[in-house]
Amino acid sequence: MADPTDKMENIINLCKRRGFVFPSSDIYGGFNGFFDYGPLGVELKNNIKQAWWQDFVHRRDDIVGLDSSIIHHPTTWKASGHIDNFTDPLVDCKESKMRYRADQLFFAPVRVGGETIGYVSVLEDETMQAKADELANELKRKLAKQGALEPLTLKDYTEAKPEEHALIPSPATGKPGSLTPPRSFNMMFQTYVGAMQDASATAYLRPETAQGIFINFKNVVDTGRVKLPFGIAQVGKAFRNEINPRNFIFRSREFEQMEIEYFIAPSADWQTAHQGWIEGCLAWFESIGIPRAKLSLYPHPTEKLAHYSKGTTDIMFEFPFGVQELQGVAARGDFDLTQHSDVSGTKLDWFDEAAKARFIPHVIEPSVGVDRVFLALLTTAYHEDEVEGEKRVVLRLPARVAPFKAAVFPLLKNKPALVERAEALYRRLKKRHNVFYDESGNIGRRYRRQDEIGTPFGITIDFDTIEKDAGVTVRNRDTLEQVRMTEDEVVRFLDDQVNG
Ligand code: GAP
């Protein structure tokens, strides 16, 4: 299964077939950029969020949690800069009515023997250079031009000169003349609050959870449990009217974020704190089953930093569709607290007892999308192999995040003694973990069904269990090894595997 497109297709099919992720509003033909998580998907997603919360909030002394409202006072977004700056450059094709993000639409002049004979355009992906070369060759053939084609230098559409807009072909029609100049498009979803539907009632669905943290800074400090440096963590939905949602749940219009605002003194060395968070996040990804070899770092060039950032490094993951951002770790300085202090008139600062001085703390922000972690885990875990001469799809998800931690099987369903014992063990395990009970079909098929959804252990009650009191067999999904254990040992074993 070498082709990455096939791998994505297989994962998307598995997600739908087994109840991980459905297209939203499926019965109405879906709704672009929105997804619904099914019975298994919601378990995996909750396990990711729970692992993150345990590791970054419960197991630390310096981070507390928050759950703010999704809709804030609209002035929040003026102060944060989102109303003015949270935009993507948009380009329309007037003929096909297609819309593109200008920074994802690439073009190049086609030059033969020093003469420009036209332009080509392609949408950003791993193969865009090869596609552009092919289009350039086609153009040269069509115009019957002699001479060597000069190498193409692709640039994104935001870099096109005004006189080039009319010459660049639309990717939809292949013809020039229909693309508009790029214009700024604000990605925040608007709504109205209350009975009026006018500008005075406009509010926004949050495009990040971070601002909910900043506007609660004083509330959290005043409850008195925190000492600088400290962090506030929040997990919740965010909404962005993405021009071009794509790659399944990678870029959607409604998604979930896990964000921490970690406040430090202005005199602290922010570069060291920033680096510490990058390393901490890499280690966390590894701990939940995302291999270090698939992760890399992309420090943003200074000229491309977001309006609030002093420095941002993205943690990139090797998805089947290319190396893409999994997490951003930004040093936001004192931008947000200063803005909200100035605009609201409420001082969002910190009193340093030792120095008897007030200051606005600076902040480091690790921010990651739950849906992207979900996809990174699935693409890492997805394998096809062969067991006993039969093709098998297996999700090698670590026990901590797997939807079911184990499945319990009586060897045969028509033997009441086996069924009774299996049901009793199932009930006992279910008090501690999410486990599954299955008595239908031959045991091989039951294993296979669990392998496909990532259940790490299959526990079988057979005749030796009931006749010789020989314990149960525990089959390991990945090694296929089967070990006998007493039922008490199974309980402890599963606790250890899930809780680490
Ligand atoms: N508070 C900072 C912030 O929101 P961001 O880089 O825009 O920064 C942080 O978003 C993370 O949220 C990204 O690294 C990604 O994991 C996730 N994310 C952003 N946009 C997304 C989208 N449209 N769909 C899914 N996840 C998204």
Side-chain angles (χ1 to χ4, degrees):
M1 198 188 48
D3 188 343
T5 321
D6 286 353
K7 182 162 182 180
M8 267 318 282
E9 279 303 305
N10 291 341
I11 290 173
I12 294 168
N13 288 340
L14 173 71
C15 279
K16 179 143 196 219
R17 190 172 73 248
R18 298 306 310 268
F20 281 92
V21 183
F22 308 122
S24 172
S25 320
D26 210 5
I27 59 167
Y28 293 106
F31 199 37
N32 195 13
F34 296 91
F35 293 91
D36 296 340
Y37 287 77
L40 294 182
V42 68
E43 296 297 335
L44 175 55
K45 207 172 179 212
N46 283 345
N47 293 342
I48 294 168
K49 290 188 278 185
Q50 200 186 23
W52 188 87
W53 196 264
Q54 266 173 354
D55 292 341
F56 288 108
V57 182
H58 289 175
R59 291 182 180 163
R60 295 179 62 126
D61 297 325
D62 57 347
I63 299 186
V64 294
L66 178 80
D67 184 13
S68 75
S69 64
I70 285 176
I71 297 180
H72 308 325
H73 191 291
T75 308
T76 306
W77 305 110
K78 184 71 194 156
S80 68
H82 283 78
I83 288 179
D84 297 325
N85 297 314
F86 196 62
T87 55
D88 266 347
L90 172 84
V91 53
D92 282 306
C93 166
K94 287 180 284 190
E95 196 174 323
S96 67
K97 308 290 177 227
M98 292 293 289
R99 290 202 144 162
Y100 305 100
R101 256 177 69 173
D103 55 352
Q104 291 173 354
L105 196 167
F106 282 74
F107 74 97
V110 180
R111 293 174 58 79
V112 176
E115 181 201 353
T116 300
I117 61 164
Y119 280 74
V120 289
S121 70
V122 283
L123 294 177
E124 184 183 21
D125 72 13
E126 298 285 292
T127 59
M128 67 180 181
Q129 186 69 48
K131 282 183 197 154
D133 290 340
E134 205 178 305
L135 288 170
N137 269 310
E138 234 172 71
L139 185 68
K140 184 181 157 225
R141 265 198 309 275
K142 208 165 113 194
L143 300 178
K145 291 286 176 189
Q146 299 300 318
L149 199 61
E150 290 177 22
L152 297 180
T153 309
L154 288 171
K155 287 192 204 158
D156 81 52
Y157 195 76
T158 59
E159 294 180 68
K161 297 190 191 99
E163 60 273 22
E164 287 181 308
H165 293 149
L167 304 174
I168 298 170
S170 155
T173 63
K175 288 182 288 179
S178 64
L179 292 181
T180 62
R183 64 186 168 89
S184 289
F185 168 78
N186 195 297
M187 288 199 290
M188 282 195 293
F189 280 104
Q190 286 190 19
T191 186
Y192 299 103
V193 174
M196 302 298 285
Q197 294 216 341
D198 59 18
S200 70
T202 301
Y204 304 90
L205 303 191
R206 67 180 177 201
E208 61 172 17
T209 69
Q211 296 307 320
I213 298 179
F214 293 122
I215 61 178
N216 275 289
F217 177 82
K218 185 169 159 39
N219 289 335
V220 174
V221 168
D222 287 352
T223 60
R225 284 191 44 217
V226 290
K227 271 208 319 255
L228 210 68
F230 70 91
I232 305 177
Q234 172 155 239
V235 177
K237 291 268 184 170
F239 304 83
R240 295 183 188 178
N241 197 358
E242 296 281 356
I243 297 167
N244 196 5
R246 59 184 178 157
N247 291 327
F248 192 36
I249 53 175
F250 175 80
R251 186 180 303 288
S252 49
R253 289 178 165 141
E254 176 177 340
F255 55 97
E256 251 179 305
Q257 289 186 315
M258 303 188 285
E259 298 200 293
I260 295 168
E261 301 304 329
Y262 195 79
F263 299 99
I264 57 176
S267 57
D269 174 0
W270 71 264
Q271 273 112 337
T272 303
H274 187 227
Q275 193 55 35
W277 271 103
I278 294 168
E279 278 154 26
C281 294
L282 286 170
W284 186 74
F285 286 134
E286 268 200 279
S287 80
I288 61 157
I290 298 176
R292 182 64 182 84
K294 281 179 175 271
L295 297 167
S296 52
L297 298 179
Y298 170 71
H300 287 213
T302 318
E303 68 281 6
K304 290 206 167 165
L305 288 176
H307 62 275
Y308 51 74
S309 176
K310 284 168 80 171
T312 297
T313 296
D314 288 341
I315 298 182
M316 313 293 280
F317 176 77
E318 199 186 311
F319 288 98
F321 42 84
V323 173
Q324 298 276 346
E325 176 184 342
L326 176 62
Q327 166 152 42
V329 186
R332 294 175 84 123
D334 59 0
F335 174 83
D336 303 87
L337 290 183
T338 303
Q339 283 295 110
H340 290 302
S341 294
D342 290 351
V343 176
S344 69
T346 301
K347 277 215 162 65
L348 304 178
D349 59 6
W350 177 262
F351 181 68
D352 187 288
E353 285 288 348
K356 301 278 177 247
R358 285 197 167 276
F359 53 75
I360 294 190
H362 286 214
V363 74
I364 308 291
E365 177 197 68
S367 168
V368 64
V370 181
D371 315 75
R372 287 196 189 173
V373 177
F374 186 109
L375 190 56
L377 277 170
L378 274 189
T379 60
T380 304
Y382 185 93
H383 287 91
E384 289 173 9
D385 60 11
E386 218 173 81
V387 172
E388 290 156 12
E390 235 184 81
K391 190 186 142 198
R392 158 177 99 142
V393 170
V394 56
L395 284 187
R396 299 207 168 110
L397 290 171
R400 191 175 185 200
V401 292
F404 292 114
K405 310 306 179 192
V408 181
F409 313 120
L411 186 63
L412 297 170
K413 76 168 176 188
N414 56 0
K415 296 285 175 213
L418 291 177
V419 169
E420 246 170 58
R421 190 79 171 256
E423 275 183 355
L425 180 59
Y426 165 68
R427 294 271 157 230
R428 185 172 170 196
L429 293 174
K430 209 166 165 60
K431 285 190 185 141
R432 312 167 80 89
H433 303 289
N434 195 29
V435 291
F436 191 76
Y437 177 82
D438 189 4
E439 55 180 29
S440 63
N442 73 46
I443 196 78
R445 189 151 332 127
R446 280 184 264 168
Y447 284 149
R448 236 52 100 236
R449 284 201 291 260
Q450 294 305 313
D451 291 344
E452 200 184 40
I453 59 171
T455 309
F457 304 104
I459 304 167
T460 305
I461 283 70
D462 59 16
F463 290 104
D464 283 356
T465 318
I466 50 173
E467 287 166 6
K468 299 187 192 157
D469 205 14
V472 299
T473 64
V474 178
R475 175 223 189 226
N476 182 306
R477 175 198 64 204
D478 301 333
T479 61
L480 304 176
E481 205 186 356
Q482 302 205 15
V483 198
R484 276 206 174 264
M485 293 184 202
T486 66
E487 284 151 273
D488 287 346
E489 282 168 344
V490 169
V491 173
R492 279 196 299 275
F493 171 79
L494 216 51
D495 282 354
D496 288 349
Q497 293 294 321
V498 175
N499 302 326

